[in-house]
Amino acid sequence: MATVRGFVADGSLSPAKALQEFAQSLIRSIVNSGTSANATGAMSLAMPDTVPGFTTIPADVI
């Protein structure tokens, strides 16, 4: 399930390398989101536009 965008492995990496890339991007996203507070303390989701070895797909609006 995706709320903003999703990522689908494109087959260019081995399953182990694809999992490593995705985990690194997820951790970076969590850290960047947690440190993105503005002056009022509000935070925003810092989501990567691309992840190596993955195709980015937009989330469907429901």
XYZ file of all heavy atoms in Angstrom:
436
model
N 0.843 -1.165 0.000
C 0.000 0.000 0.000
C 0.891 1.232 0.000
O 1.877 1.297 0.721
C -0.904 0.010 1.226
C -1.739 1.258 1.299
S -2.714 1.365 2.788
C -4.086 0.369 2.341
N 0.548 2.203 -0.802
C 1.307 3.456 -0.870
C 0.354 4.624 -0.703
O -0.784 4.574 -1.164
C 2.031 3.545 -2.204
N 0.831 5.652 -0.032
C -0.006 6.841 0.147
C 0.477 8.013 -0.690
O -0.281 8.926 -0.958
C -0.039 7.265 1.625
O 1.301 7.501 2.068
C -0.692 6.211 2.486
N 1.736 8.015 -1.095
C 2.286 9.086 -1.915
C 2.839 8.524 -3.212
O 2.480 8.949 -4.287
C 3.394 9.851 -1.151
C 4.017 10.922 -2.023
C 2.841 10.461 0.133
N 3.725 7.559 -3.085
C 4.288 6.868 -4.250
C 4.768 5.502 -3.798
O 4.961 5.275 -2.611
C 5.396 7.678 -4.919
C 6.690 7.762 -4.173
C 7.752 8.583 -4.917
N 7.393 9.964 -5.094
C 7.757 10.958 -4.279
N 8.505 10.708 -3.244
N 7.381 12.184 -4.505
N 4.957 4.644 -4.747
C 5.429 3.303 -4.442
C 6.660 2.988 -5.263
O 7.009 3.726 -6.190
N 7.296 1.886 -4.937
C 8.500 1.466 -5.644
C 8.385 -0.014 -5.961
O 8.015 -0.811 -5.110
C 9.741 1.721 -4.778
C 9.906 3.169 -4.402
C 9.413 3.655 -3.207
C 10.537 4.051 -5.265
C 9.547 4.990 -2.867
C 10.680 5.394 -4.934
C 10.184 5.860 -3.731
N 8.706 -0.362 -7.203
C 8.657 -1.741 -7.663
C 10.040 -2.086 -8.210
O 10.593 -1.337 -9.025
C 7.591 -1.922 -8.771
C 7.609 -3.337 -9.308
C 6.219 -1.557 -8.261
N 10.605 -3.219 -7.755
C 11.917 -3.636 -8.238
C 11.895 -3.755 -9.751
O 10.956 -4.307 -10.324
C 12.324 -4.960 -7.592
N 12.940 -3.210 -10.400
C 12.976 -3.234 -11.865
C 13.808 -4.393 -12.424
O 13.971 -4.509 -13.632
C 13.467 -1.900 -12.412
C 14.903 -1.563 -12.026
O 15.646 -2.455 -11.553
O 15.291 -0.390 -12.206
N 14.362 -5.246 -11.549
C 15.116 -6.404 -12.006
C 16.574 -6.138 -12.328
O 17.288 -7.045 -12.726
N 17.028 -4.898 -12.150
C 18.416 -4.579 -12.476
C 19.388 -4.968 -11.368
O 20.596 -4.966 -11.589
C 18.554 -3.082 -12.790
O 18.272 -2.298 -11.639
N 18.871 -5.306 -10.188
C 19.704 -5.700 -9.051
C 19.310 -7.090 -8.573
O 18.172 -7.516 -8.772
C 19.526 -4.707 -7.888
C 19.847 -3.239 -8.140
C 19.490 -2.404 -6.924
C 21.310 -3.064 -8.497
N 20.237 -7.747 -7.929
C 19.901 -9.035 -7.315
C 18.905 -8.770 -6.189
O 18.822 -7.647 -5.677
C 21.157 -9.696 -6.740
O 21.619 -8.970 -5.605
N 18.124 -9.772 -5.793
C 17.176 -9.557 -4.697
C 17.845 -9.034 -3.423
O 17.313 -8.138 -2.767
C 16.563 -10.944 -4.480
C 16.637 -11.595 -5.829
C 17.944 -11.111 -6.393
N 19.023 -9.541 -3.090
C 19.717 -9.091 -1.881
C 20.128 -7.620 -2.002
O 19.953 -6.833 -1.063
C 20.943 -9.960 -1.622
N 20.666 -7.227 -3.150
C 21.091 -5.831 -3.360
C 19.880 -4.908 -3.414
O 19.917 -3.792 -2.885
C 21.920 -5.721 -4.643
C 22.482 -4.352 -4.897
C 23.473 -3.934 -3.837
C 24.071 -2.580 -4.199
N 24.803 -1.968 -3.096
N 18.790 -5.358 -4.033
C 17.567 -4.542 -4.099
C 17.019 -4.301 -2.695
O 16.625 -3.174 -2.361
C 16.515 -5.234 -4.964
N 17.027 -5.324 -1.858
C 16.558 -5.171 -0.484
C 17.463 -4.207 0.284
O 16.977 -3.363 1.040
C 16.510 -6.532 0.213
C 15.982 -6.551 1.633
C 14.587 -5.966 1.714
C 15.995 -7.965 2.187
N 18.759 -4.305 0.064
C 19.703 -3.404 0.725
C 19.456 -1.956 0.305
O 19.410 -1.055 1.143
C 21.140 -3.810 0.385
C 22.185 -2.931 1.032
C 23.598 -3.324 0.624
O 23.807 -4.123 -0.286
N 24.577 -2.765 1.296
N 19.302 -1.721 -0.991
C 19.040 -0.362 -1.489
C 17.739 0.190 -0.917
O 17.667 1.342 -0.506
C 18.980 -0.340 -3.019
C 20.302 -0.502 -3.697
C 21.217 0.707 -3.523
O 20.756 1.814 -3.173
O 22.430 0.540 -3.733
N 16.706 -0.648 -0.896
C 15.414 -0.184 -0.402
C 15.486 0.133 1.084
O 14.970 1.144 1.542
C 14.314 -1.213 -0.681
C 12.946 -0.645 -0.462
C 12.352 0.129 -1.440
C 12.262 -0.851 0.720
C 11.095 0.686 -1.246
C 11.010 -0.305 0.924
C 10.423 0.460 -0.059
N 16.150 -0.730 1.853
C 16.294 -0.502 3.296
C 17.069 0.782 3.567
O 16.688 1.569 4.446
C 16.973 -1.691 3.956
N 18.132 1.025 2.820
C 18.907 2.248 3.001
C 18.062 3.481 2.682
O 18.113 4.481 3.410
C 20.164 2.229 2.137
C 21.211 1.269 2.632
C 22.407 1.162 1.705
O 22.349 1.541 0.530
N 23.498 0.619 2.220
N 17.274 3.417 1.621
C 16.413 4.547 1.263
C 15.327 4.761 2.310
O 15.002 5.904 2.651
C 15.774 4.329 -0.112
O 16.755 4.376 -1.110
N 14.772 3.679 2.845
C 13.754 3.784 3.881
C 14.332 4.415 5.143
O 13.732 5.323 5.725
C 13.172 2.407 4.183
C 12.128 2.348 5.298
C 10.929 3.220 4.968
C 11.706 0.908 5.548
N 15.504 3.968 5.559
C 16.142 4.532 6.753
C 16.445 6.005 6.550
O 16.189 6.839 7.425
C 17.413 3.737 7.119
C 17.017 2.343 7.608
C 18.244 4.474 8.163
C 18.160 1.365 7.691
N 16.986 6.371 5.377
C 17.260 7.779 5.075
C 15.985 8.612 5.145
O 15.964 9.722 5.674
C 17.883 7.904 3.685
C 19.324 8.318 3.704
C 19.877 8.664 2.318
N 19.477 7.794 1.231
C 20.091 6.659 0.913
N 21.107 6.223 1.598
N 19.666 5.943 -0.104
N 14.893 8.063 4.614
C 13.610 8.762 4.624
C 13.124 8.993 6.057
O 12.661 10.083 6.396
C 12.565 7.957 3.842
O 11.302 8.552 3.938
N 13.253 7.977 6.898
C 12.820 8.106 8.290
C 13.654 9.159 9.014
O 13.110 10.035 9.704
C 12.903 6.745 9.016
C 11.850 5.793 8.443
C 12.730 6.913 10.521
C 12.036 4.341 8.859
N 14.973 9.105 8.854
C 15.864 10.070 9.509
C 15.587 11.487 9.001
O 15.454 12.424 9.796
C 17.345 9.685 9.305
C 18.276 10.801 9.761
C 17.657 8.390 10.039
N 15.490 11.653 7.692
C 15.238 12.975 7.117
C 13.879 13.520 7.538
O 13.734 14.714 7.793
C 15.354 12.950 5.604
C 16.774 12.745 5.135
O 17.731 12.976 5.871
N 16.936 12.276 3.916
N 12.889 12.656 7.619
C 11.560 13.101 8.064
C 11.596 13.532 9.525
O 10.983 14.529 9.905
C 10.531 11.973 7.888
O 10.360 11.659 6.526
N 12.329 12.799 10.342
C 12.404 13.110 11.766
C 13.186 14.356 12.080
O 13.017 14.948 13.145
N 14.033 14.776 11.172
C 14.838 15.983 11.400
C 14.347 17.163 10.569
O 15.029 18.164 10.468
C 16.324 15.713 11.079
O 16.443 15.299 9.718
C 16.907 14.659 11.993
N 13.154 17.062 10.020
C 12.645 18.110 9.131
C 11.725 19.102 9.829
O 11.023 19.849 9.163
C 11.889 17.480 7.950
O 10.686 16.867 8.418
N 11.716 19.123 11.156
C 10.805 20.016 11.888
C 11.082 21.478 11.540
O 12.229 21.904 11.461
C 10.952 19.788 13.382
N 9.999 22.216 11.352
C 10.142 23.647 11.103
C 10.047 24.406 12.428
O 10.053 23.805 13.506
C 9.101 24.129 10.085
C 7.669 23.960 10.569
O 7.409 23.810 11.763
N 6.741 23.979 9.635
N 9.937 25.723 12.381
C 9.931 26.553 13.592
C 8.765 26.225 14.523
O 8.867 26.400 15.737
C 9.907 28.025 13.209
N 7.654 25.737 13.975
C 6.491 25.418 14.813
C 6.516 23.968 15.302
O 5.631 23.544 16.024
C 5.175 25.655 14.040
O 5.114 24.757 12.927
C 5.064 27.093 13.566
N 7.519 23.207 14.874
C 7.636 21.819 15.292
C 6.968 20.838 14.353
O 7.035 19.631 14.561
N 6.309 21.346 13.309
C 5.653 20.456 12.339
C 6.705 19.752 11.487
O 7.714 20.342 11.128
C 4.706 21.252 11.451
N 6.450 18.494 11.204
C 7.374 17.720 10.368
C 6.687 17.326 9.068
O 5.466 17.327 8.987
C 7.829 16.464 11.114
C 8.709 16.746 12.268
S 9.358 15.221 12.944
C 9.017 15.493 14.663
N 7.487 16.994 8.093
C 6.932 16.549 6.823
C 7.632 15.264 6.390
O 8.751 14.978 6.817
C 7.101 17.629 5.751
O 8.468 17.887 5.527
N 6.947 14.523 5.558
C 7.487 13.269 5.048
C 8.563 13.580 4.016
O 8.314 14.275 3.034
C 6.371 12.439 4.411
C 6.765 11.121 3.771
C 7.361 10.183 4.822
C 5.571 10.485 3.099
N 9.760 13.090 4.251
C 10.874 13.261 3.310
C 11.037 11.943 2.568
O 11.695 11.030 3.043
C 12.145 13.629 4.050
N 10.407 11.852 1.419
C 10.387 10.607 0.660
C 11.259 10.743 -0.583
O 11.214 11.767 -1.265
C 8.946 10.322 0.252
C 8.695 8.944 -0.188
S 6.919 8.692 -0.280
C 6.902 7.043 -0.830
N 12.073 9.733 -0.890
C 12.925 9.834 -2.077
C 12.097 9.819 -3.363
O 11.031 9.211 -3.421
C 13.806 8.592 -1.992
C 13.006 7.617 -1.207
C 12.203 8.435 -0.233
N 12.608 10.519 -4.372
C 11.947 10.486 -5.679
C 12.301 9.204 -6.420
O 11.492 8.680 -7.171
C 12.363 11.696 -6.517
C 11.801 12.990 -5.960
O 10.666 12.981 -5.435
O 12.502 14.014 -6.035
N 13.531 8.733 -6.198
C 13.984 7.511 -6.852
C 14.744 6.643 -5.852
O 15.303 7.142 -4.882
C 14.914 7.814 -8.041
O 16.062 8.516 -7.563
C 14.213 8.629 -9.112
N 14.746 5.357 -6.112
C 15.531 4.386 -5.349
C 16.255 3.529 -6.392
O 15.601 2.979 -7.282
C 14.631 3.506 -4.447
C 15.455 2.432 -3.755
C 13.884 4.345 -3.429
N 17.596 3.439 -6.309
C 18.319 2.635 -7.294
C 17.780 1.202 -7.359
O 17.552 0.565 -6.334
C 19.760 2.649 -6.756
C 19.851 3.903 -5.937
C 18.486 4.055 -5.319
N 17.537 0.727 -8.587
C 17.039 -0.630 -8.782
C 15.531 -0.749 -8.719
O 14.988 -1.841 -8.806
N 14.836 0.378 -8.577
C 13.380 0.372 -8.466
C 12.760 1.373 -9.424
O 13.351 2.392 -9.750
C 12.943 0.731 -7.028
C 13.222 -0.358 -6.037
C 14.493 -0.540 -5.529
C 12.217 -1.217 -5.628
C 14.763 -1.554 -4.622
C 12.476 -2.234 -4.721
C 13.759 -2.406 -4.216
N 11.551 1.076 -9.862
C 10.751 1.998 -10.656
C 9.779 2.681 -9.705
O 9.148 2.018 -8.876
C 9.960 1.234 -11.746
O 10.896 0.576 -12.594
C 9.073 2.157 -12.555
N 9.692 3.997 -9.807
C 8.776 4.758 -8.952
C 7.404 4.789 -9.608
O 7.285 5.051 -10.803
C 9.289 6.204 -8.775
O 10.623 6.144 -8.264
C 8.418 6.992 -7.822
N 6.373 4.502 -8.832
C 5.008 4.554 -9.351
C 4.166 5.454 -8.432
O 4.347 5.457 -7.220
C 4.383 3.151 -9.461
C 4.398 2.420 -8.116
C 5.073 2.319 -10.516
C 3.637 1.116 -8.094
N 3.280 6.250 -9.024
C 2.420 7.101 -8.198
C 1.352 6.272 -7.508
O 0.941 5.214 -7.990
C 1.796 8.061 -9.214
C 1.808 7.302 -10.508
C 3.024 6.408 -10.452
N 0.924 6.746 -6.360
C -0.160 6.064 -5.636
C -1.485 6.385 -6.318
O -1.681 7.465 -6.849
C -0.188 6.531 -4.194
N -2.393 5.415 -6.323
C -3.719 5.641 -6.862
C -4.553 6.415 -5.847
O -4.508 6.130 -4.641
C -4.434 4.325 -7.151
C -3.817 3.583 -8.330
O -3.201 4.239 -9.183
O -3.963 2.352 -8.390
N -5.302 7.377 -6.311
C -6.213 8.106 -5.445
C -7.479 7.297 -5.277
O -8.085 6.846 -6.253
C -6.541 9.493 -6.051
C -7.520 10.231 -5.169
C -5.274 10.292 -6.239
N -7.880 7.061 -4.017
C -9.113 6.313 -3.782
C -10.053 7.116 -2.930
O -9.717 8.025 -2.262
C -8.852 4.951 -3.120
C -8.035 5.107 -1.835
C -8.130 4.031 -4.072
C -7.913 3.838 -1.037
